[in-house]
């Protein structure tokens, strides 16, 4: 199943980290958030990626063209042997399509521009490319398949600490609680789509506004509630939090590290 990753945004809320770096390449625990997310999908067997590029997309291309797994993993260098052998390769069986989808294109337009790369996919996955989770992905896909709908989003509890304020008609405050303690849920950015989604997108549109409104009207958009670990790299404060988790060996999203070790992968660097 192919995975579409939206990698074209400016990441304004992450400045100064995105001043010279596209948001998907901003590091979390020393590695780009995009790489974490791709490893997540790869862990569940989804290794065919379509990257919708925009702002500084050439930097993302350069990253993968020059990517050297030996610099971040264990490898063997034999005496007199100029070749290195990795114990484990992450991306040797990945397929990555780099698609230029415009500098300022909204998400719906970006998705529409890669429709040609999804002709053979009845169902595909999509993501904002800035979210991390320990969600067991097969459960989400099974949930979607059984309901025979066109689109599904995961909904999560917000992690922000802003306070939700309710008041009466005289503006007296009647309630005050942290946003993440209310019944409210937000879009978690992990999507499953049937190819019919393209019938709901018109040129120049965003994804979650006009197309999703049409889907809701036709009762074709469903949600999947998830209360496990979820985090978004949206602000510099989010980056600090995720870096802190990584430094404490609490990278809950790195579910691939819980996988039992296998025989060494003798892939050449």
């Amino acid at each position: 199943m192919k995975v579409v990753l939206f990698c074209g945004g400016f990441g304004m809320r992450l400045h100064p980290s995105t001043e010279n770096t596209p948001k998907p390449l901003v590091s979390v625990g020393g590695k780009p958030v995009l790489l974490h997310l791709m490893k997540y999908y790869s862990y569940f067997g989804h290794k065919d990626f379509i990257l919708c590029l925009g702002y500084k997309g050439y930097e993302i291309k350069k990253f993968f063209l020059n990517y050297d797994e030996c610099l971040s993993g264990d490898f063997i260098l034999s005496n007199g042997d100029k070749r290195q052998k990795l114990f484990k390769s992450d991306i040797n069986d990945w397929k990555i399509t780099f698609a230029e989808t415009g500098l300022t294109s909204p998400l719906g337009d970006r998705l529409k521009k890669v429709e040609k790369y999804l002709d053979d996919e009845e169902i595909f996955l999509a993501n904002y490319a800035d979210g991390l989770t320990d969600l067991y992905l097969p459960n989400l896909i099974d949930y979607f398949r059984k309901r025979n709908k066109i689109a599904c989003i995961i909904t999560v509890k917000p992690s922000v600490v802003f306070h939700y304020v309710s008041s009466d008609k005289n503006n007296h405050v009647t309630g005050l609680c942290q946003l993440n303690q209310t019944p409210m849920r937000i879009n978690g950015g992990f999507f499953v789509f049937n190819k019919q989604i393209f019938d709901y997108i018109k040129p120049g549109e965003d994804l979650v506004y006009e197309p999703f409104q049409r889907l809701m009207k036709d009762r074709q958009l469903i949600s999947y509630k998830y209360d496990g670990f979820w985090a978004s790299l949206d602000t510099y404060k989010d980056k600090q939090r995720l870096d802190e988790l990584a430094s404490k060996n609490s990278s809950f999203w790195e579910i691939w590290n819980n996988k039992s070790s296998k025989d060494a992968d003798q892939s050449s660097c």
Side-chain angles (χ1 to χ4, degrees), residues 78-96:
S78 302
N79 291 336
D81 190 350
K82 298 298 183 182
R83 297 180 61 195
Q84 302 87 36
K85 293 183 179 179
L86 279 168
F87 278 91
K88 179 182 179 182
S89 174
D90 292 324
I91 73 169
N92 68 314
D93 57 350
W94 292 4
K95 178 182 177 182
I96 308 174

Side-chain angles (χ1 to χ4, degrees), residues 115-160:
E115 180 179 3
K116 58 188 175 183
Y117 300 122
L118 293 158
D119 284 344
D120 57 343
E121 295 291 294
E122 187 71 26
I123 295 174
F124 64 94
L125 306 169
N127 198 289
Y128 289 138
D130 65 358
L132 299 172
T133 186
D134 61 357
L135 167 70
Y136 186 69
L137 189 59
N139 286 349
L140 173 63
I141 296 172
D142 288 345
Y143 174 87
F144 177 74
R145 288 185 184 277
K146 290 176 181 177
R147 281 154 183 80
N148 195 31
K149 299 296 182 179
I150 293 175
C152 180
I153 61 175
I154 73 164
T155 61
V156 297
K157 294 179 179 178
S159 58
V160 295

Side-chain angles (χ1 to χ4, degrees), residues 4-6 8 50-55 97-119 124 197-199 201-207:
V4 176
L5 299 175
F6 301 111
I50 301 171
L51 307 188
C52 299
L53 304 178
Y55 174 68
T97 300
F98 299 86
E100 294 290 348
T101 56
L103 183 62
T104 60
S105 302
L107 291 188
D109 212 30
R110 294 191 191 281
L111 184 56
K112 194 72 174 175
K113 288 177 179 178
V114 299
E115 180 179 3
K116 58 188 175 183
Y117 300 122
L118 293 158
D119 284 344
F124 64 94
I197 183 67
F198 294 108
D199 297 333
I201 305 173
K202 295 180 180 179
E205 289 187 337
D206 194 50
L207 180 62

Side-chain angles (χ1 to χ4, degrees), residues 23 28 33 36-37 127-135 154-160 186-190 226-235 237-243 245 250-253:
K23 184 178 180 181
V28 170
V33 64
H36 286 284
L37 189 59
N127 198 289
Y128 289 138
D130 65 358
L132 299 172
T133 186
D134 61 357
L135 167 70
I154 73 164
T155 61
V156 297
K157 294 179 179 178
S159 58
V160 295
I186 63 173
N187 170 13
F190 286 74
Y226 186 64
D227 291 328
F229 177 83
W230 174 89
S232 170
L233 182 62
D234 193 49
T235 66
K237 188 173 182 179
D238 294 331
K239 172 174 166 52
Q240 289 179 311
R241 177 193 172 214
L242 291 169
D243 281 338
L245 288 173
S250 298
S251 303
F252 302 108
W253 62 90

